Amino acid sequence: MRAVIHDKYGPPEVLRLEEVEQAVPLEDEVLIKIRATTVTRTDCGLRSAELFVTRFFTGLRRPKRKILGMELAGEVEAVGSAVTEFQVGDEVFGVTGSGANAEYVCVPESGPLAPKPAGMSFEEAAAVCDGASLALACLRKGDLREGRSILVYGASGSVGTAAVQLARHFGAEVTAVCNTKNLELVASLGADEVVDYTQEDFTKNGETYDVIFDAVGKQSFRRCRRSLKSGGIYIDTDPGFLWHVPVLALLTKGIGDKKVHLGIVRYTKGDVLFLKQLTDAGEYRAVIDRTYPLEEVVAATKYVETEQKTGNVVLTVSGALGP
Ligand SMILES: NC(=O)c1ccc[n+]([C@@H]2O[C@H](COP(=O)([O-])OP(=O)(O)OC[C@H]3O[C@@H](n4cnc5c(N)ncnc54)[C@H](OP(=O)(O)O)[C@@H]3O)[C@@H](O)[C@H]2O)c1
């Protein structure tokens, strides 16, 4: 099969498309013929390994897993002897630890994999899980429900567009902060208020919120503290300079009435099924900025690394699209 390989850490140019041996499913695995996958900020972080600590998990000198890619949508091509939930030909979507930027990947049946939402294209389905899984992990800490308010900073990214829709689903009053060009999009996702950060500094307008969620790691607890209600929580997706966010999370556990939390993503089948339910009900959609063929993975990756994408960047495999 063809797969995007990286056998060393470095810039996007270390990625190349190569023929590799096709995986064979173990007894509890399904082999998926991938129709669409994505390039995420996590893929970029694992490939560059600029944050040295990631190498303790991915290989100190060179990557142990050579095929990147976490999100996928495709068709079941073969199943292991113990698989009961999926059959050959089923259309599925979900997440895998690595290996999705390829024509085929094996995923455990019990992993974060579910039937593809009805009527959704493979492109859209491939982009549903990553940002939304992190947003879910973060928002659960915020106890969102009717009567509670949240401000989502960086509302136009993959995590941000998911957070706005999920917070709305949970019944909270949502204020979304983004650039002028994304105001309309973010309002269409269900934000009650939108703030253009090029025109207004939300930390200085006197408004307060139960939850402030920094979806792009560009704010700080120090700046946002006064915009939190008493008992409020500041949630970040990024450990920050010198990992100060987890340190603050520990400190604020015992001191003060405003808390800090670092969201850590954990992909689960339960979350993928929950997202399927929301997409089937028309309450959630993955925002897609650009789509590239797998062959253009380097260009796609360079675009993701601008940190200016709106929502998600998809790779199509074998040029195959459609519901
Ligand atoms: N903790 C974890 O487990 C984990 C896992 C994966 C990713 N992450 C982190 O999650 C974060 C979000 O990932 P993502 O994929 O959602 O990001 P993304 O899609 O790359 O975010 C792009 C968006 O960020 C906005 N943005 C860029 N600079 C900004 C600024 N200074 N102020 C406000 N908005 C700004 C841009 O919006 P505008 O055009 O409107 O400016 C753009 O739409 C990243 O920091 C990533 O490292 C954490």
Side-chain angles (χ1 to χ4, degrees):
M1 66 170 187
R2 290 180 316 149
V4 176
I5 298 292
H6 79 130
D7 43 25
K8 56 183 176 188
Y9 297 118
E13 289 78 5
V14 300
L15 299 170
R16 63 181 192 279
L17 202 58
E18 242 185 39
E19 283 289 332
V20 299
E21 205 172 312
Q22 189 172 315
V24 176
L26 300 174
E27 62 173 17
D28 64 339
E29 289 183 337
V30 295
L31 173 70
I32 298 163
K33 179 177 167 56
I34 296 174
R35 306 278 296 271
T37 176
T38 59
V39 178
T40 64
R41 293 278 298 274
T42 304
D43 294 321
C44 294
L46 296 176
R47 188 214 68 245
S48 69
E50 269 171 16
L51 193 61
F52 195 84
V53 70
T54 62
R55 297 185 187 215
F56 290 108
F57 304 97
T58 59
L60 272 182
R61 296 185 57 202
R62 56 183 66 87
K64 283 187 268 189
R65 293 183 179 180
K66 295 189 167 47
I67 308 175
L68 284 174
M70 297 155 58
E71 289 181 295
L72 63 94
E75 289 155 274
V76 174
E77 178 90 357
V79 296
S81 57
V83 169
T84 55
E85 193 183 328
F86 299 103
Q87 290 179 351
V88 172
D90 285 354
E91 295 185 344
V92 293
F93 80 121
V95 199
T96 174
S98 63
N101 290 172
E103 288 179 325
Y104 295 89
V105 72
C106 287
V107 179
E109 172 183 39
S110 60
L113 189 69
K116 181 166 77 66
M120 183 178 263
S121 70
F122 286 108
E123 273 177 299
E124 283 176 277
V128 164
C129 291
D130 181 54
S133 295
L134 178 54
L136 268 175
C138 293
L139 298 191
R140 281 191 182 117
K141 201 71 189 172
D143 183 25
L144 292 178
R145 54 191 149 81
E146 221 164 291
R148 295 209 10 118
S149 57
I150 179 171
L151 177 137
V152 178
Y153 188 82
S156 52
S158 172
V159 179
T161 51
V164 169
Q165 296 176 81
L166 293 167
R168 176 67 190 249
H169 168 77
F170 293 132
E173 175 91 13
V174 184
T175 300
V177 185
C178 63
N179 203 332
T180 321
K181 70 181 196 303
N182 289 317
L183 292 174
E184 217 170 290
L185 165 80
V186 166
S188 78
L189 298 176
D192 299 286
E193 299 282 336
V194 284
V195 176
D196 180 345
Y197 70 74
T198 68
Q199 304 296 318
E200 184 180 348
D201 182 346
F202 77 89
T203 63
K204 299 205 172 111
N205 65 9
E207 297 290 335
T208 55
Y209 307 90
D210 293 301
V211 180
I212 294 181
F213 176 39
D214 180 4
V216 283
K218 301 286 184 191
Q219 278 295 333
S220 69
F221 177 56
R222 192 171 58 81
R223 272 178 55 77
C224 295
R225 205 172 40 196
R226 269 185 235 102
S227 305
L228 277 174
K229 290 185 178 167
S230 172
I233 182 166
Y234 172 80
I235 305 174
D236 209 329
T237 54
D238 197 285
F241 182 63
L242 293 178
W243 287 58
H244 71 274
V245 175
V247 173
L248 280 173
L250 269 179
L251 287 176
T252 56
K253 265 190 177 173
I255 306 167
D257 73 334
K258 295 175 182 175
K259 306 295 172 196
V260 174
H261 175 70
L262 171 67
I264 305 283
V265 66
R266 231 188 102 237
Y267 304 102
T268 66
K269 189 184 274 293
D271 282 355
V272 177
L273 287 167
F274 173 65
L275 292 168
K276 172 181 161 47
Q277 202 183 316
L278 289 192
T279 49
D280 281 339
E283 286 193 57
Y284 184 80
R285 69 181 171 100
V287 172
I288 295 175
D289 182 342
R290 293 187 184 180
T291 301
Y292 296 80
L294 188 68
E295 293 74 10
E296 292 179 25
V297 64
V298 174
T301 301
K302 284 182 175 171
Y303 181 56
V304 172
E305 290 196 346
T306 62
E307 298 188 11
Q308 291 301 319
K309 71 180 160 70
T310 302
N312 302 279
V313 169
V314 172
L315 296 173
T316 52
V317 186
S318 313
L321 293 182

